[in-house]
Amino acid sequence: MSTAATRFIEEPARSIPVSAEYDVLVVGGGPSGLTAALAAAEDGLRVGLIESRSFVGGNMTIGLPVLGFLGQKGNQIIDGLPQKFIERLRRERQGASEHRPCPLHMGITLVEPEAVKTVALEMLTEAGVDVLFYTFFAGALVENDTIRGVITESKSGRTAILAKVVIDCSGDADVAYSAGVPTEKGNEHGGMQPPTLMFCLAGVDTDALRLSIANAPPAARTYLTDFIPAEYFGQNHQFIVVGMRELMAKAKAERGLQIPNERTIIITGLKKGEVWINMTRVKGTDGTDARSLTKGEIEGRAQIDDIVAYLIGYVPGFEKAYFTKTAPFLGIRETRRIRGQYVMTQEDVLACTHFDDAIAVASYPIDIHRPADDGCTLIWCGDCYDIPYRSLVPQKIGNLLVAGRSISATHEAMGAIRVMATCMAMGEAAGRAAKISVRGNRPPADIDVGELRRQQLERGVYLRNPDGTRAGPPNRAAA
């Protein structure tokens, strides 16, 4: 269908039935939406969560490890509900590893995608959250700069869901954008980080892989892995490999393989012999445009065969590997970001900035898969930095909160706060803020942030004192 000339039709006016009404509605069931709904429901509010797919978990279900639980000094800086979720995954389903230090990513937490789907849904239903799958957000209902609820589309038709507070955990600021909140995309040229279609191989001898790196002659170690010393692979049976640039270059030259990435990125799974591959790269994809996403899926799948040929033909341990599955959707790194009451910047991240209204602490480096080439930019701050509540509060709309990678931040700062553990921490804060907003009958922008921080600390969230030490739970009697 040609899109050269835009045509319109008139849609007849119609009455939309109200299918549900909540105190708090969460749009999107990914890492931030999961914890937002759990936090909002923790003392009896009516909480709903809508999700367009048939499962919750979002990017935790596509084969990626969860990054961000550990800080650059090796300490754990994400706690609270995200930690409880990982503990339950590990305890009940053997679906998560411990938080493992990583010289490149600071820490990695491996998760089993199918276990994530099951445990996340169990926790939500046990908390009394009304989960609605197969339901697409279609528009915001806004009156006098107040969001009354949302319009949804599903097999049941077009309906309205009303709520006192809405939390946008769509990852793309869909609700905020529809409601008229100012948003931005990409860098100064509009370029966004390219997405990846993850895929899985089985039959990999991961010990042969890691020992080939650990035992490589010293002269080879400079190119085998980026930033990760070879000794690391001699000590860890589950790991991430990032590098092997010269090996990939050799494969491209000898076999004419088309691989749009300059690095080999291999993530061991929890199952023996299973690895997930983070190497497809679809530049120019706009995650807010269905046609662009479709093109990205087509191109991402087309890239897989050459990547598999490279891995089996050149990388130690892959000699008997075989393809098993692709992720259920593209892993989107960047789309819209809101303009909120405060815009987090690269300077905030690199200066390890402390904010009086901090609701979470993060430490993941600025990690930008560059939009215009096949490379990546990584910048570490040396410690951790705060995420201010004001960055979750959008301009214009009074009873809306945003959590996840689409909070108010620059392109560079978003490259640091976009990882899953950090998004879960932001979701927990947003859910608790929404609860305080409803209980106090005041917009999220006007709540007592000191009370939010007190509740965060009482629930085990990691926050910092001005001197950088971990803040302890407050003494309410002395307050």
Side-chain angles (χ1 to χ4, degrees), residues 31-64:
S32 63
L34 165 65
T35 51
L38 290 173
E42 61 194 6
D43 67 352
L45 289 183
R46 294 169 297 161
V47 177
L49 184 152
I50 62 170
E51 168 56 52
S52 63
R53 301 182 178 98
S54 62
F55 54 87
V56 287
N59 278 350
M60 281 191 284
T61 69
I62 69 173
L64 289 166

Side-chain angles (χ1 to χ4, degrees), residues 164-165 399 432-444 447:
K164 296 174 183 176
V165 175
N399 57 330
R432 211 155 277 138
K435 180 189 68 175
I436 294 171
S437 170
V438 171
R439 292 295 189 203
N441 193 29
R442 61 180 59 191
I447 67 168

Side-chain angles (χ1 to χ4, degrees), residues 19-29 33 36-38 40-41 45-51 129-132 135-141 147-152 159-170 175 399-403 430-431 434-435 438:
S19 61
E21 189 167 355
Y22 304 108
D23 294 311
V24 178
L25 173 65
V26 179
V27 177
L38 290 173
L45 289 183
R46 294 169 297 161
V47 177
L49 184 152
I50 62 170
E51 168 56 52
V129 176
D130 187 17
V131 178
L132 190 60
T135 301
F136 288 85
F137 166 80
L141 294 168
I147 185 167
R148 294 185 56 213
V150 303
I151 299 292
T152 68
T159 66
I161 298 177
L162 306 182
K164 296 174 183 176
V165 175
V166 177
I167 307 176
D168 184 347
C169 295
S170 65
V175 181
N399 57 330
L400 176 66
L401 286 163
V402 177
K435 180 189 68 175
V438 171

Side-chain angles (χ1 to χ4, degrees), residues 232-463:
Y232 172 83
F233 296 95
Q235 302 163 4
N236 293 275
H237 290 271
Q238 294 172 320
F239 49 85
I240 297 180
V241 174
V242 181
M244 297 185 168
R245 296 169 185 258
E246 293 190 13
L247 200 61
M248 185 188 293
K250 180 182 179 184
K252 290 179 180 180
E254 291 181 353
R255 298 277 300 275
L257 300 175
Q258 301 297 310
I259 303 175
N261 205 318
E262 62 183 24
R263 303 179 300 168
T264 305
I265 306 177
I266 302 165
I267 304 156
T268 57
L270 288 175
K271 297 176 181 176
K272 183 176 177 59
E274 180 182 270
V275 298
W276 287 87
I277 307 301
N278 182 2
M279 290 175 63
T280 64
R281 189 182 184 98
V282 191
K283 294 193 287 289
T285 301
D286 184 344
T288 66
D289 181 272
R291 182 67 65 183
S292 183
L293 280 169
T294 302
K295 182 180 178 183
E297 287 277 355
I298 294 169
E299 185 176 338
R301 289 182 184 276
Q303 293 173 6
I304 291 175
D305 284 348
D306 275 13
I307 296 171
V308 172
Y310 154 63
L311 293 170
I312 293 176
Y314 289 84
V315 178
F318 280 81
E319 293 83 1
K320 297 180 180 180
Y322 56 93
F323 179 89
T324 57
K325 56 193 168 186
T326 57
F329 53 88
L330 279 171
I332 303 297
R333 293 185 173 91
E334 178 177 16
T335 54
R336 301 187 192 100
R337 308 181 305 276
I338 66 164
R339 275 281 176 174
Q341 293 188 344
Y342 182 82
V343 181
M344 276 193 72
T345 67
Q346 173 173 295
E347 290 71 27
D348 291 330
V349 172
L350 297 183
C352 301
T353 302
H354 176 79
F355 292 99
D356 291 339
D357 65 336
I359 44 76
V361 175
S363 187
Y364 193 73
I366 293 173
D367 178 359
I368 299 174
H369 293 243
R370 295 193 292 270
D373 60 43
D374 293 341
C376 185
T377 296
L378 282 160
I379 313 174
W380 292 265
C381 69
D383 197 355
C384 52
Y385 47 89
D386 291 350
I387 297 177
Y389 176 65
R390 288 166 293 161
S391 290
L392 279 61
V393 181
Q395 296 177 9
K396 288 190 63 176
I397 304 300
N399 57 330
L400 176 66
L401 286 163
V402 177
R405 60 177 166 81
S406 53
I407 68 165
S408 183
T410 63
H411 169 75
E412 293 79 15
M414 193 282 305
I417 59 90
R418 64 184 175 84
V419 294
M420 287 186 276
T422 307
C423 288
M424 294 175 80
M426 289 187 274
E428 179 174 7
R432 211 155 277 138
K435 180 189 68 175
I436 294 171
S437 170
V438 171
R439 292 295 189 203
N441 193 29
R442 61 180 59 191
D446 296 334
I447 67 168
D448 180 355
V449 180
E451 174 61 22
L452 172 58
R453 284 171 51 83
R454 283 191 289 273
Q455 290 195 24
Q456 290 281 87
L457 290 168
E458 287 169 352
R459 297 283 180 165
V461 171
Y462 186 103
L463 296 176

Side-chain angles (χ1 to χ4, degrees), residues 68-81:
F69 273 98
L70 300 183
Q72 292 176 36
K73 292 187 174 181
N75 57 321
Q76 184 172 339
I77 49 86
I78 301 290
D79 206 336
L81 282 174

